C-alpha cells in the first residue's frame, strides 16, 4: 500500500543507507547518506530521524555492521556486530525501539558461528523480519485506537506518532469515520507542525495547528474532544514516557474532562516503573533555536529534557497491538 512519505523513510541505496532528513521535511525532501554503521548512529543522534524512524535506521545500521564485519572470523565478526549494536542503542536511550531492534538482530545470529556472506544474509533477514513485524503491530494498534474514536471526533495530537498515527487514520478511514485534527507544533524541532500536520494533509485532512502553550486553552474552548499521543515507552505499571509536553497535555485533558489515550505497540517488560527508564537530556542549546535560527537572546541558557513522564492516573487508556487497556492493567497485554 502506498502511503505518506514519512511511512518509508529509511532505504538502502547501493552499498549504503539513506535516511530521510526529518529536520527539514516537508520544506525539503532530502536524504542523508550513511556509508557506515557509525554514520547511522550519528544521524540518529543528530535528529535526522525521530519517533519510529530510528527503529528502521537501527536495523539498517546492523546490516551495514554485518557488511563491515564480513571479512572477520566468526567470533570477531560477532563481537564487532555486538559493538555496532551497543553504539546504536546508546544514541537515544529513552525509546526502546532501537534496543529491541538490535536485540532482534543479535538474537537471530547469536551462537551460529556465522561470517562472510552468511552473516550478512542472516542479519538482512532478521532486520527485514523486525521491520515487517513492527509495521504489522502498528497496523493492529491503529485498528484498536480507531475503535475509540467516534465518527466526527476532533483529535488533539502532540509531537509525531509516526506509524501509530498512520495506522489509526487508515483504520478510521476504512471504518468510514470522519475525523478532525488539532496538532501541537512541538518545540523545539516542530515535529507536530512539520511531520504530523504534513502527513495528515497527505492523508486528506486539514489539521489545525496550535502552539504547545495553547493546549489547555484549546481543550477549555472545546477545540478538541479527545487527546491522542504516541508513547516512546510505557512501563509495566502504566506510566507513559513520551515527548516532553505530553504531561501537560494529559494534565489539561484531565482538568477539562477530555479522554487521553496513549499508543504503544507493547509495554516494556524491562521497565517495571518509571524509575527504570532513562530520560534523555539533550543539549539545552537546542531550545534556543528553531529550524537552525536562534530565537533566544544571547546570554540565555537552555534546558531540554526530551521526554517527560505521565502518571497512570492521568491516562484514560493505553492502546497496544493487542487491544485497549486501563493503565494499571497494561502489563496484561504482554
Amino acid at each position: 500500500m502506498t502511503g505518506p512519505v514519512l511511512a518509508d523513510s529509511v532505504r538502502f541505496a547501493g552499498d549504503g543507507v539513506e535516511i530521510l532528513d526529518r529536520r527539514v521535511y516537508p520544506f525539503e525532501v532530502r536524504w542523508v547518506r550513511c556509508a557506515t554503521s557509525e554514520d547511522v548512529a550519528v544521524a540518529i543522534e543528530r535528529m535526522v530521524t525521530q519517533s519510529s524512524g530510528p527503529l528502521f535506521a537501527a536495523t539498517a545500521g546492523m546490516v551495514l555492521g554485518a557488511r563491515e564485519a564480513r571479512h572477520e572470523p566468526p567470533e570477531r565478526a560477532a563481537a564487532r556486530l555486538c559493538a555496532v549494536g551497543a553504539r546504536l542503542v546508546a544514541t537515544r536511550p529513552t525509546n526502546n525501539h532501537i534496543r529491541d531492534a538490535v536485540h532482534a538482530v543479535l538474537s537471530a545470529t547469536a551462537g551460529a558461528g556465522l561470517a562472510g556472506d552468511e552473516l550478512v544474509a542472516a542479519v538482512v533477514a532478521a532486520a527485514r523480519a523486525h521491520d515487517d513485524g513492527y509495521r504489522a503491530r502498528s497496523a493492529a494498534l491503529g485498528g484498536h485506537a480507531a475503535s475509540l474514536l467516534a465518527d466526527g471526533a476532533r483529535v488533539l495530537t502532540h509531537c509525531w506518532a509516526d506509524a501509530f498515527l498512520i495506522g489509526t487514520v487508515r483504520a478510521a478511514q476504512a471504518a468510514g469515520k470522519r475525523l478532525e485534527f488539532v496538532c501541537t507544533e512541538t518545540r523545539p524541532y516542530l515535529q507536530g507542525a512539520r511531520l504530523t500536520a504534513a502527513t495528515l494533509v497527505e492523508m486528506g485532512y486539514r489539521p489545525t495547528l496550535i502552539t504547545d502553550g495553547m493546549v489547555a486553552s484549546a481543550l477549555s474552548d472545546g477545540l478538541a474532544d479527545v487527546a491522542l499521543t504516541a508513547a516512546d515507552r510505557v512501563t509495566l505499571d502504566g506510566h507513559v514516557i513520551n515527548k516532553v509536553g505530553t504531561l501537560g497535555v494529559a494534565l489539561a485533558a484531565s482538568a477539562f474532562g477530555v479522554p487521553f489515550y496513549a499508543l504503544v505497540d507493547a509495554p516494556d517488560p524491562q521497565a517495571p516503573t518509571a524509575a527504570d527508564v532513562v530520560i534523555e537530556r539533550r543539549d539545552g542549546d537546542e531550545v534556543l533555536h528553531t529550524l537552525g535560527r536562534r530565537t533566544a537572546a544571547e546570554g540565555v541558557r537552555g534546558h531540554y529534557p526530551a521526554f517527560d513522564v505521565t502518571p497512570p492516573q492521568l491516562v484514560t487508556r493505553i492502546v497496544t497491538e493487542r487491544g485497549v487497556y486501563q493503565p494499571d492493567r497494561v502489563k496484561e497485554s504482554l
Side-chain angles (χ1 to χ4, degrees), residues 63-319:
V63 171
L64 293 184
R67 292 177 182 173
E68 293 158 5
R70 69 193 309 164
H71 299 301
E72 304 279 3
E75 287 188 6
R76 290 179 60 182
R80 185 165 178 174
L81 196 60
C82 284
V84 168
R87 171 72 177 102
L88 290 167
V89 171
T91 57
R92 303 209 65 195
T94 300
N95 189 311
N96 55 314
H97 280 156
I98 299 175
R99 182 201 71 194
D100 292 346
V102 168
H103 176 74
V105 171
L106 292 178
S107 295
T109 58
L114 299 175
D117 291 342
E118 287 186 341
L119 175 64
V120 175
V123 170
V124 168
R128 183 177 296 118
H130 190 73
D131 290 355
D132 290 347
Y134 178 76
R135 289 189 175 96
R137 293 192 299 273
S138 297
L141 179 157
H144 297 306
S147 72
L148 297 173
L149 305 177
D151 185 27
R154 296 166 298 170
V155 182
L156 175 77
T157 68
H158 181 60
C159 200
W160 165 230
D162 214 312
F164 298 162
L165 178 65
I166 293 171
T168 300
V169 170
R170 283 175 171 164
Q173 290 175 335
K177 293 183 177 180
R178 297 166 295 110
L179 301 178
E180 297 179 18
F181 290 92
V182 178
C183 308
T184 62
E185 63 175 0
T186 326
R187 287 272 293 134
Y189 282 93
L190 307 185
Q191 294 103 317
R194 296 183 301 102
L195 309 183
T196 303
T199 297
L200 288 170
V201 169
E202 280 188 85
M203 300 186 79
Y205 299 91
R206 292 179 61 88
T208 298
L209 183 70
I210 62 173
T211 68
D212 294 5
M214 295 180 186
V215 172
S217 176
L219 296 182
S220 173
D221 290 343
L223 191 62
D225 43 39
V226 60
L228 186 76
T229 76
D232 283 86
R233 202 180 312 196
V234 168
T235 64
L236 294 182
D237 63 355
H239 285 79
V240 170
I241 294 89
N242 192 46
K243 169 70 180 182
V244 69
T246 302
L247 174 59
V249 172
L251 284 165
S254 177
F256 296 108
V258 172
F260 174 83
Y261 302 129
L263 314 180
V264 69
D265 48 349
D268 182 13
Q270 298 184 38
T273 71
D276 300 295
V277 179
V278 175
I279 300 299
E280 178 184 359
R281 297 187 179 275
R282 297 186 63 83
D283 188 341
D285 188 61
E286 294 182 29
V287 306
L288 307 181
H289 298 78
T290 300
L291 301 183
R293 181 171 181 175
R294 188 177 178 95
T295 53
E298 294 296 334
V300 175
R301 293 179 296 178
H303 173 67
Y304 186 14
F307 303 87
D308 59 25
V309 181
T310 299
Q313 61 267 29
L314 294 177
V315 181
T316 307
R317 292 291 186 273
I318 295 173
V319 184

